[in-house]
Amino acid sequence: GAAAELVPEDQFGFGGSSRLLNPGIGIKGVRVSVLGWLHYDLGIELNDKVLAFLRDSVDALPRTGYGVFENGIAEGGFAPTVSYAGRVAGDSSTGLYLGGALHYYLGVAYLRSSISAGFRTGASIFTGPNPVTPLDSGLTSYSKPGNALGHGVGGDVGVAWISGPIELGVGVNDIGATLTWSDTRQDSVFYRDSSFSKPFKNHVSTTTKLPVSYVANVTYTVGKTTLGADVLNTGRGSTVHVGGEQLLGLIAVRGGVARDQRKRIEFGFGGGVRLGPLGLDVGFWTHTNSLSNERGVTMATSFSIY
């Protein structure tokens, strides 16, 4: 029925890269700062037997393995950064701007896993004294806080063109960002009467790579109205955002729509107020789980000092 259409044939999951706080100082376009960074990615894929059973209504078979494959990574840390952004041609009304940043990534902790989990049916389907036998095997690698820091170098580049009310920009982040973790522990995971893990290797060197992200955006401002759109790809498909802002005295009203990585339409709205050097904003946006058409709503607030 319709439920079978929800079963994903390809790998599904979620992931992304985030830039957290970025305190620093700047002089004439040159800025020295320390930014926090976070990267996470989780992918799950059903094996052929599970797909046939759930999606194609194929009968379960005896002495057959049914399971899923999981690959995931989470890592985070901070990065001392030197950056520059400034106008290289034109004037304040029409000009070309270039920017770039060099990061020295320091990883505080990371975890990576590759696991196959499921069960094997017995001689009779889901009946008898031993209807199924759990299956679990894989490898996890991790470097916990307090171990030697991960090290790597990467950079960002961007270009923007401004002509009157129109602004166009293109940027690429985390170019060449590969980290080496010199103090990694690897554990094997398996099932034998119950789930177990045991050390496989310790104090080994491993590497991780941050996904390169691409962004392109355009804005158009006329009077107190600003319209904008952007396309962002962080390694798991592209997201598209289109929205606008209308100033009403001290209050800003905002709204927009987006197409997420799973090509589903989402909505956002919110507003803000600015009183002198202080600003308060609130926003709401919808999101959809991977295997459901039901939307959830998230709220975010921010307080700014200009």
Side-chain angles (χ1 to χ4, degrees):
E5 298 178 1
L6 296 177
V7 179
E9 295 185 38
D10 301 319
Q11 186 187 85
F12 63 95
F14 59 90
S17 296
S18 302
R19 301 282 178 87
L20 308 177
L21 295 176
N22 187 21
I25 58 174
I27 301 175
K28 295 183 177 181
V30 178
R31 190 168 188 268
V32 179
S33 62
V34 178
L35 66 83
W37 60 270
L38 176 67
H39 167 227
Y40 58 93
D41 189 273
L42 175 64
I44 299 174
E45 187 173 0
L46 308 179
N47 73 5
D48 292 341
K49 298 299 182 181
V50 174
L51 278 175
F53 179 73
L54 295 179
R55 191 174 182 88
D56 302 327
S57 300
V58 175
D59 292 339
L61 301 174
R63 299 186 179 92
T64 302
Y66 295 84
V68 299
F69 305 105
E70 175 270 329
N71 287 282
I73 186 171
E75 56 185 328
F78 58 96
T81 298
V82 178
S83 60
Y84 169 79
R87 188 173 67 239
V88 296
D91 53 33
S92 58
S93 62
T94 301
L96 180 67
Y97 295 77
L98 295 179
L102 180 65
H103 309 293
Y104 186 74
Y105 298 91
L106 296 171
V108 175
Y110 101 97
L111 169 67
R112 177 166 53 196
S113 66
S114 179
I115 296 175
S116 173
F119 60 86
R120 181 179 179 84
T121 56
S124 57
I125 304 300
F126 304 130
T127 61
N130 187 27
V132 296
T133 300
L135 301 175
D136 185 11
S137 63
L139 183 70
T140 63
S141 303
Y142 62 91
S143 180
K144 62 184 180 180
N147 287 8
L149 296 174
H151 295 265
V153 177
D156 311 331
V157 295
V159 58
W161 178 72
I162 299 176
S163 179
I166 300 175
E167 297 183 16
L168 298 171
V170 177
V172 185
N173 293 335
D174 295 322
I175 302 170
T178 299
L179 279 78
T180 299
W181 305 79
S182 61
D183 191 9
T184 301
R185 171 171 166 165
Q186 295 179 327
D187 290 350
S188 61
V189 179
F190 59 94
Y191 182 89
R192 186 179 300 161
D193 298 327
S194 61
S195 292
F196 287 92
S197 67
K198 67 177 183 179
F200 176 63
K201 292 181 180 180
N202 201 3
H203 307 300
V204 297
S205 179
T206 57
T207 60
T208 60
K209 184 175 178 62
L210 301 185
V212 178
S213 60
Y214 306 87
V215 61
N217 58 68
V218 57
T219 62
Y220 177 77
T221 302
V222 54
K224 296 183 178 181
T225 302
T226 300
L227 303 175
D230 68 55
V231 180
L232 173 66
N233 189 312
T234 58
R236 269 200 169 270
S238 297
T239 59
V240 181
H241 305 90
V242 178
E245 177 187 84
Q246 178 66 50
L247 294 178
L248 303 172
L250 299 177
I251 299 175
V253 180
R254 308 179 182 101
V257 296
R259 192 196 74 165
D260 64 17
Q261 295 172 344
R262 298 176 298 278
K263 300 181 180 180
R264 294 172 177 168
I265 300 299
E266 307 294 349
F267 305 92
F269 58 93
V273 60
R274 181 170 176 178
L275 300 173
L278 305 179
L280 178 64
D281 297 272
V282 61
F284 302 85
W285 71 93
T286 66
H287 48 83
T288 308
N289 295 326
S290 295
L291 296 180
S292 171
N293 290 322
E294 183 178 352
R295 285 189 172 90
V297 179
T298 298
M299 182 185 78
T301 61
S302 69
F303 177 75
S304 304
I305 300 176
Y306 296 92

